[in-house]
Amino acid sequence: MNPSFGIAAFRSRTQVLRMEEALRRAGLSAGVVATPREVAIGCGLSVRFELAETPQVMAVYRRLNPSALIGFYRVDGYGTRQIRLSPLQPKCCKSRCFAPEAGSLQKDLQSKNEPARLVDKRAGMA
């Protein structure tokens, strides 16, 4: 089985590259991967990071403050037919402020045939 890892999905490729660069400057392992289709919205690229480094990744995200975040997700089985995607919840926040349910944005778009109205992911953070 493929190892698990985290991704930060963005609507902008520029934001993906900025986040990756910021993570590398902070000494964290990061790379750019294709966004799993279960996220269903965005620029098609995400920043990959190690799950063990999630608290540091969240700290870099807060410092960088990018405006195009879709969410943070845990990915299992990447590159297989049985990929699993689950939202990551930071310990500082009990709500799912960093990741809507996988596929929920796609379902909303299909049912309404209009652009998704994304909530500011930083709202309500301590």
Side-chain angles (χ1 to χ4, degrees), residues 8-13 15-16 19 35 41-47 61 66-72:
F10 292 88
R11 291 182 299 251
S12 160
R13 289 178 182 226
Q15 295 296 322
V16 168
M19 181 70 171
T35 302
I41 191 168
C43 68
L45 296 176
S46 293
V47 178
Y61 165 77
S67 61
L69 178 73
I70 293 170
F72 287 91

Side-chain angles (χ1 to χ4, degrees), residues 29-99:
S29 78
V32 176
V33 296
T35 302
R37 70 181 129 189
E38 288 81 2
V39 174
I41 191 168
C43 68
L45 296 176
S46 293
V47 178
R48 176 183 174 150
F49 58 90
E50 297 300 321
L51 287 171
E53 297 176 337
T54 299
Q56 297 94 328
V57 170
M58 297 294 181
V60 170
Y61 165 77
R62 284 186 208 97
R63 275 193 309 257
L64 191 61
N65 198 22
S67 61
L69 178 73
I70 293 170
F72 287 91
Y73 300 90
R74 175 190 173 107
V75 179
D76 297 293
Y78 188 79
T80 69
R81 290 184 178 199
Q82 296 185 6
I83 189 170
R84 285 192 332 252
L85 193 69
S86 54
L88 280 177
Q89 279 185 279
K91 291 180 181 176
C92 69
C93 183
K94 299 294 182 199
S95 69
R96 293 181 186 261
C97 63
F98 281 102

